[in-house]
């Protein structure tokens, strides 16, 4: 039930032979916290509804979450969820585990890991409900990100990708205008640009992110004949 005063959800549920979703307001009061329980839900079923030809995302989702502070512009989300066998554009990514806890009336902290299929990424952060200037801060540790995973996000622009990347990133500020810092390192990565049919490799190269610039310092790409393409310089954030 929705009104100008707020929202009440009463006994909303979806069930199938293997999956179950239930959503309920905790009390019969407008904008009362909402409990969301999801069991053994295949994300592929949603993806197939949106597009019959392409499976954008797949994996089995289990979650237990609470949504509160519905009277605010950005509500508060807490709880735990896991997506087993997550895949994007049919590219397996691994297992995604995330949790969020309300530390105070002003702060929700979150933690996430992605592991498997050559990937090992951890991230953590804070969401500040009542701070308009500092809405969040977050950091990510990319211990290992496979080029094959990146290929899955390229919509077919890359193929035959091998090797790995690693790096560290931090972000903070407003969601609409974040500040960021970090680096991305390439370790024996190889890939082919599909449209050109040309293979390239990037080994022991680094991209530096230092708001508001992204810097390439003697960044070298080699083709299959070992010809070098060197990139030197910076890109301003407002030009990306």
């Amino acid at each position: 039930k929705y009104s100008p005063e707020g929202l009440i959800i009463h006994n909303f549920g979806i069930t199938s032979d293997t999956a179950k979703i239930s959503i309920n307001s905790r009390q019969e009061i407008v904008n009362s916290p909402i409990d969301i329980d999801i069991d053994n839900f295949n994300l592929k079923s949603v993806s197939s509804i949106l597009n019959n030809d392409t499976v954008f995302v797949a994996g089995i989702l289990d979650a237990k979450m609470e949504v509160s502070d519905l009277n605010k512009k950005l509500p508060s989300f807490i709880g735990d969820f896991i997506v087993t066998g997550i895949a994007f554009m049919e590219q397996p990514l691994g297992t995604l585990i995330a949790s969020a806890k309300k530390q105070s009336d002003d702060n929700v902290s979150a933690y996430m890991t992605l592991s498997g299929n050559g990937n090992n990424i951890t991230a953590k952060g804070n969401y500040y409900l009542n701070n308009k200037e500092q809405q969040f801060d977050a950091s990510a540790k990319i211990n290992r990100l496979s080029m094959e995973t990146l290929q899955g996000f390229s919509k077919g622009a890359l193929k035959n990708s091998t090797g790995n990347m690693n790096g560290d990133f931090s972000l903070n500020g407003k969601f609409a205008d974040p500040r960021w810092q970090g680096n991305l390192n390439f370790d024996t990565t190889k890939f082919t640009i599909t449209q050109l049919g040309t293979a390239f490799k990037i080994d022991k190269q680094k991209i530096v992110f230092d708001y508001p610039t992204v810097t390439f310092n003697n960044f070298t790409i080699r083709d299959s004949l070992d010809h070098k393409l060197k990139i030197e310089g910076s890109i301003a954030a407002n030009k990306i």
Side-chain angles (χ1 to χ4, degrees), residues 60 81 172 229:
I60 303 301
F81 75 83
N172 63 78
L229 170 64

Side-chain angles (χ1 to χ4, degrees), residues 41-58 88-89:
F41 181 75
N42 193 336
L43 298 175
K44 184 177 180 180
S45 59
V46 176
S47 182
S48 61
I49 292 173
L50 298 175
N51 190 314
N52 291 326
D53 298 324
T54 304
V55 178
F56 287 107
V57 64
F88 179 79
M89 298 293 289

Side-chain angles (χ1 to χ4, degrees), residues 201-203 205 218-222 228-231:
K201 54 185 176 181
I202 306 173
D203 187 24
Q205 303 297 309
N218 199 31
F219 190 87
T220 303
I221 304 173
R222 300 172 186 265
K228 297 179 182 180
L229 170 64
K230 291 189 177 182
I231 304 173

Side-chain angles (χ1 to χ4, degrees), residues 2 27-28 52 58 67 69 84 91 103 109 120 151 161-162 172 179 209 213 221 231 234 238:
Y2 177 77
Q27 296 176 293
E28 290 291 325
N52 291 326
V67 184
D69 296 306
T84 305
Q91 173 61 49
Q103 304 295 345
S109 65
N120 183 351
Q151 174 180 300
S161 299
T162 62
N172 63 78
R179 301 298 189 259
F209 300 80
T213 59
I221 304 173
I231 304 173
S234 298
N238 59 4

Side-chain angles (χ1 to χ4, degrees), residues 1-8 29-32 70-71:
K1 182 171 69 174
Y2 177 77
S3 72
E5 289 76 29
L7 179 69
I8 298 176
I29 300 173
V30 170
N31 289 338
S32 169
L70 295 171
N71 58 325

Side-chain angles (χ1 to χ4, degrees), residues 142-200:
I142 304 174
N143 298 300
R144 182 184 174 100
L145 174 62
S146 75
M147 272 297 296
E148 190 175 4
T149 294
L150 187 63
Q151 174 180 300
F153 287 85
S154 73
K155 297 182 179 181
L158 302 178
K159 65 179 182 179
N160 303 327
S161 299
T162 62
N164 303 287
M165 294 167 286
N166 62 78
D168 296 274
F169 288 91
S170 62
L171 301 94
N172 63 78
K174 298 179 181 180
F175 288 108
D177 185 24
R179 301 298 189 259
W180 30 259
Q181 191 170 28
N183 60 82
L184 183 64
N185 306 294
F186 293 77
D187 183 14
T188 321
T189 56
K190 298 179 181 180
F191 57 91
T192 297
I193 297 179
T194 305
Q195 191 172 8
L196 300 177
T198 306
F200 296 95

